[in-house]
Amino acid sequence: MTLLYNEPCFLQHETGFHPERADRIRLIPERLAQAGLDARCRRPEWERVARRRLTAVHAPSYVDEVWSLAKSGGGEIGSETVLSPCSYDVALLAAGCACDAAERVIRGEDRRALCLVRPPGHHAMPGYAMGFCVFNNIAIAAKMAVDELRLDRVLVVDWDVHHGNGTQATFWDDPRVGFLSIHRWPFYPGTGSEDETGGGAGAGTTLNLPVPGNISRREYLDRFTDALDGFAAKIKPQLVLTSAGFDAHRGDPIGQFVLETEDFAVLTDRVMDVADAWAGGKMVSMLEGGYDPRLVADCVAVHLERMVQRNGDAVE
Ligand SMILES: [Zn+2]
């Protein structure tokens, strides 16, 4: 089965009049129930991320800053990011969810997992919040996988319309974690050019695919597929993690890009293809952006449907 983390606790990160608000994910449960998808998934219980896992990616002083601002009533932290009194606890649950899913998948409990969490993570830098992101959920899970669970090679694939600068920064010089990002260019946050390819021991383990805002859907999908296949053959991942943003949808109010809902089925299939080819199918997907509640629910349903069907097709 597929593991599904989709709990009301993630609504409690209350950001007020802000694009990254609880309403983004409010329509998802009903949409998944309508499609009969939730009944085909297993819903594990999990805990907040342990501080040692959090501080393996983030500076302890930054973690304390988030705690202190949230507990004193919330407010703005860094660029465009807002905390409510519950946000520290919810952010710990989001990062804990990523770790729990990765751990279960690595141990072989299930092959795939989808974590529908808020706040998102891929812009969060080791030392500061950025772009609606507090803690870098996917980076924390990837770091746990290589440091604690002793994987040699993890691949992070980021198809959010924005460059995953926080994830890139975390693993810039780490050869154990490959990072591929396809994103609109030029666009927020301004990083992610083709010549950013990693440094030191991690030289060549970052791959950026900046694409223009008027690219055709076909060309986008072809470029993604070709680059992903080649990069996966180079990284040879034992686990594939996906930063699944849905703000590259044509109707997204922030991304304003070109993809249609069904294109996320293709992206899902291509990522699962490389997970099947290299990682025994092991794939964990994390929700990142996506700012139209109805489109997010539709895209999540398409994404999860492909994951559930793949599991059904596979010889267990
Ligand atoms: Zn985004």
Side-chain angles (χ1 to χ4, degrees):
M1 292 184 95
T2 298
L3 300 171
L4 175 62
Y5 300 80
N6 178 34
E7 302 301 328
C9 61
F10 297 117
L11 298 168
Q12 292 167 13
H13 169 52
E14 289 166 7
T15 53
F17 187 73
H18 189 283
E20 202 295 286
R21 61 194 186 278
D23 283 348
R24 287 180 59 220
I25 61 168
R26 219 182 282 279
L27 300 180
I28 294 175
E30 190 185 333
R31 184 73 185 75
L32 297 186
Q34 273 171 359
L37 287 166
D38 54 352
R40 297 172 68 186
C41 297
R42 207 157 65 80
R43 310 278 291 267
E45 291 187 3
W46 81 101
E47 295 180 350
R48 300 160 166 208
V49 71
R51 186 174 171 94
R52 70 172 193 288
R53 290 180 174 171
L54 194 55
T55 55
V57 167
H58 293 287
S61 58
Y62 167 59
V63 173
D64 294 342
E65 185 192 349
V66 175
W67 174 83
S68 138
L69 181 58
K71 296 303 168 188
S72 65
E76 272 198 46
I77 183 161
S79 150
E80 303 179 320
T81 310
V82 172
L83 299 181
S84 66
C86 290
S87 293
Y88 179 75
D89 296 321
V90 179
L92 292 190
L93 282 168
C97 179
C99 290
D100 189 78
E103 203 164 355
R104 289 178 194 269
V105 166
I106 291 166
R107 294 193 196 287
E109 228 176 88
D110 281 287
R111 275 206 190 127
R112 292 173 241 282
L114 175 58
C115 304
L116 298 171
V117 302
R118 290 178 63 248
H122 74 151
H123 295 306
M125 297 293 281
Y128 54 94
M130 187 172 165
F132 316 161
C133 299
V134 180
F135 298 134
N136 196 319
N137 307 312
I138 204 163
I140 292 164
K143 189 88 170 144
M144 175 203 71
V146 293
D147 279 357
E148 283 185 50
L149 302 180
R150 303 286 175 201
L151 295 196
D152 298 316
R153 299 171 311 277
V154 172
L155 172 62
V156 178
V157 179
D158 188 325
W159 73 52
D160 188 279
V161 76
H162 304 100
H163 178 236
N165 59 305
T167 312
Q168 174 174 297
T170 304
F171 300 110
W172 182 254
D173 55 7
D174 189 339
R176 301 170 299 173
V177 179
F179 177 63
L180 182 152
S181 178
I182 185 165
H183 43 270
R184 183 172 173 175
W185 177 273
F187 212 52
Y188 182 88
T191 48
S193 70
E194 271 166 346
D195 58 7
E196 295 169 25
T197 56
T205 61
T206 292
L207 179 63
N208 282 302
L209 302 171
V211 295
N214 63 352
I215 193 171
S216 72
R217 294 163 61 201
R218 166 57 66 87
E219 196 186 340
Y220 174 96
L221 295 172
D222 285 351
R223 284 195 61 183
F224 178 79
T225 302
D226 290 348
L228 177 62
D229 288 349
F231 194 58
K234 177 177 178 176
I235 300 293
K236 301 182 173 59
Q238 298 155 295
L239 170 71
V240 178
L241 304 177
T242 307
S243 269
F246 298 103
D247 46 5
H249 196 286
R250 188 170 58 92
D252 188 88
I254 291 184
Q256 300 182 337
F257 194 56
V258 297
L259 298 188
E260 300 285 353
T261 304
E262 61 263 33
D263 295 327
F264 292 99
V266 179
L267 294 176
T268 307
D269 284 342
R270 296 295 81 82
V271 173
M272 289 194 298
D273 288 346
V274 300
D276 284 351
W278 298 102
K282 292 178 165 59
M283 194 269 251
V284 175
S285 176
M286 305 294 306
L287 179 66
E288 300 284 0
Y291 301 96
D292 179 283
R294 188 182 57 80
L295 291 177
V296 169
D298 288 348
C299 292
V300 164
V302 160
H303 181 50
L304 181 59
E305 184 176 38
R306 300 307 298 169
M307 292 172 71
V308 165
Q309 284 176 352
R310 177 77 59 120
N311 266 3
D313 292 340
V315 179
E316 294 289 344

